[in-house]
Amino acid sequence: MPWRARNRGQYLILRRALTPPNAWVAAEPEAGVIGFLTIQSVQDYIDHLFVDPDWRFCGVARGLLEVARQSATGALSLDVDEENIGARRAYEALGWQVVASTTAASKARQMRLVSP
């Protein structure tokens, strides 16, 4: 997470989230894994969405979000770091809307977004 100064512990959280019923992986035959998405199915909450920088703006995130939307029972939600301007713009371009924001000084400021 290059946009976040402190990311200790994220590796372990991500590793626990990458269980088969909760994760989708995007792969390209020549490049291998180019992105992934993890979701808390009961809450329709996206824990992680990552696309390799070389594959951004190619529809990978849109495809992963569409697969997640098809399995969801309601609107999807996710949190994004306020400093992650690129991700925020991408979600907004896909019609996601900000519904809440944190103001905690001790943690990275987060924005909660909801899918269209």
Side-chain angles (χ1 to χ4, degrees), residues 26 31-36 49-58 60-61 64:
V33 173
I34 58 174
F36 66 86
L49 175 58
F50 172 80
V51 176
D52 184 284
D54 291 339
W55 288 89
R56 292 186 182 156
F57 308 106
C58 296
V60 176
L64 288 167

Coordinates of all heavy atoms in Angstrom, one line a residue, residues 26 31-36 49-58 60-61 64:
A26 N -7.8 -12.6 -10.8 CA -7.7 -12.3 -12.2 C -6.3 -12.7 -12.7 O -5.3 -12.3 -12.1 CB -8.0 -10.8 -12.5
A31 N 1.0 -13.3 -18.2 CA 1.5 -12.5 -17.1 C 1.3 -13.2 -15.8 O 1.9 -12.8 -14.8 CB 0.8 -11.1 -17.1
G32 N 0.4 -14.1 -15.7 CA 0.0 -14.7 -14.4 C -1.0 -13.9 -13.7 O -1.9 -13.3 -14.3
V33 N -1.0 -13.9 -12.4 CA -2.0 -13.2 -11.5 C -1.8 -11.7 -11.7 O -0.7 -11.2 -11.6 CB -1.8 -13.6 -10.1 CG1 -2.7 -12.7 -9.2 CG2 -2.2 -15.0 -9.8
I34 N -2.8 -11.0 -12.1 CA -2.8 -9.6 -12.3 C -3.7 -8.8 -11.4 O -3.6 -7.5 -11.4 CB -3.1 -9.2 -13.8 CG1 -4.5 -9.7 -14.2 CG2 -2.0 -9.8 -14.7 CD1 -4.9 -9.2 -15.6
G35 N -4.5 -9.5 -10.6 CA -5.3 -8.8 -9.6 C -6.1 -9.8 -8.8 O -6.1 -11.0 -9.1
F36 N -6.6 -9.3 -7.7 CA -7.5 -10.1 -6.8 C -8.4 -9.3 -6.0 O -8.3 -8.1 -5.9 CB -6.7 -11.0 -5.9 CG -5.9 -10.2 -4.8 CD1 -6.5 -9.9 -3.6 CD2 -4.6 -9.9 -5.1 CE1 -5.7 -9.2 -2.7 CE2 -3.8 -9.2 -4.1 CZ -4.4 -8.8 -2.9
L49 N -9.0 -5.1 -2.8 CA -9.0 -5.1 -4.2 C -7.7 -4.6 -4.7 O -7.3 -3.5 -4.3 CB -10.2 -4.2 -4.8 CG -10.2 -4.1 -6.3 CD1 -10.4 -5.4 -7.0 CD2 -11.3 -3.2 -6.7
F50 N -7.0 -5.5 -5.4 CA -5.7 -5.1 -5.9 C -5.6 -5.4 -7.4 O -6.0 -6.5 -7.8 CB -4.6 -5.8 -5.2 CG -3.2 -5.6 -5.8 CD1 -2.5 -4.4 -5.5 CD2 -2.6 -6.5 -6.6 CE1 -1.3 -4.2 -6.1 CE2 -1.4 -6.3 -7.2 CZ -0.7 -5.1 -6.9
V51 N -5.0 -4.5 -8.2 CA -4.7 -4.7 -9.6 C -3.2 -4.3 -9.8 O -2.8 -3.3 -9.3 CB -5.6 -3.9 -10.5 CG1 -5.2 -4.1 -12.0 CG2 -7.0 -4.4 -10.3
D52 N -2.4 -5.2 -10.4 CA -1.0 -4.9 -10.7 C -1.0 -3.6 -11.4 O -1.8 -3.3 -12.4 CB -0.5 -6.1 -11.6 CG 1.0 -5.9 -11.8 OD1 1.4 -5.0 -12.7 OD2 1.8 -6.6 -11.2
P53 N 0.0 -2.7 -11.1 CA 0.1 -1.4 -11.7 C 0.2 -1.5 -13.2 O -0.3 -0.6 -13.9 CB 1.4 -0.8 -11.1 CG 1.5 -1.5 -9.8 CD 1.0 -2.9 -10.0
D54 N 0.8 -2.5 -13.8 CA 0.9 -2.7 -15.2 C -0.4 -3.0 -15.9 O -0.6 -2.8 -17.1 CB 1.9 -3.7 -15.6 CG 3.3 -3.4 -15.3 OD1 3.6 -2.2 -15.1 OD2 4.2 -4.3 -15.1
W55 N -1.4 -3.4 -15.1 CA -2.7 -3.8 -15.7 C -3.8 -2.9 -15.3 O -5.0 -3.2 -15.5 CB -3.0 -5.2 -15.2 CG -2.2 -6.2 -16.0 CD1 -0.9 -6.6 -15.6 CD2 -2.4 -6.8 -17.2 NE1 -0.4 -7.5 -16.6 CE2 -1.3 -7.6 -17.6 CE3 -3.5 -6.7 -18.1 CZ2 -1.3 -8.3 -18.8 CZ3 -3.5 -7.4 -19.3 CH2 -2.4 -8.2 -19.6
R56 N -3.5 -1.7 -14.7 CA -4.6 -0.8 -14.3 C -5.1 -0.1 -15.5 O -4.4 0.0 -16.5 CB -4.0 0.2 -13.3 CG -3.7 -0.5 -12.0 CD -3.3 0.4 -10.9 NE -3.0 -0.5 -9.7 CZ -2.2 -0.1 -8.7 NH1 -1.7 1.0 -8.7 NH2 -2.0 -1.0 -7.7
F57 N -6.3 0.3 -15.5 CA -7.0 0.9 -16.6 C -7.3 0.0 -17.8 O -7.5 0.4 -18.9 CB -6.3 2.2 -17.1 CG -6.0 3.2 -16.0 CD1 -4.7 3.3 -15.5 CD2 -7.0 3.9 -15.4 CE1 -4.4 4.2 -14.4 CE2 -6.8 4.8 -14.3 CZ -5.5 4.9 -13.9
C58 N -7.3 -1.3 -17.5 CA -7.6 -2.3 -18.5 C -8.9 -3.1 -18.2 O -9.2 -4.1 -18.9 CB -6.4 -3.3 -18.6 SG -4.8 -2.6 -19.1
V60 N -9.6 -4.7 -15.3 CA -9.4 -5.8 -14.4 C -10.3 -5.5 -13.1 O -11.0 -6.4 -12.7 CB -8.0 -6.0 -14.0 CG1 -7.8 -7.1 -12.9 CG2 -7.2 -6.3 -15.3
A61 N -10.2 -4.4 -12.5 CA -10.9 -4.1 -11.3 C -12.4 -4.1 -11.6 O -13.2 -4.6 -10.8 CB -10.5 -2.7 -10.7
L64 N -13.5 -7.7 -11.7 CA -13.5 -8.3 -10.3 C -14.7 -7.8 -9.5 O -15.4 -8.6 -8.9 CB -12.2 -8.0 -9.6 CG -11.0 -8.8 -10.1 CD1 -9.7 -8.2 -9.5 CD2 -11.1 -10.3 -9.7

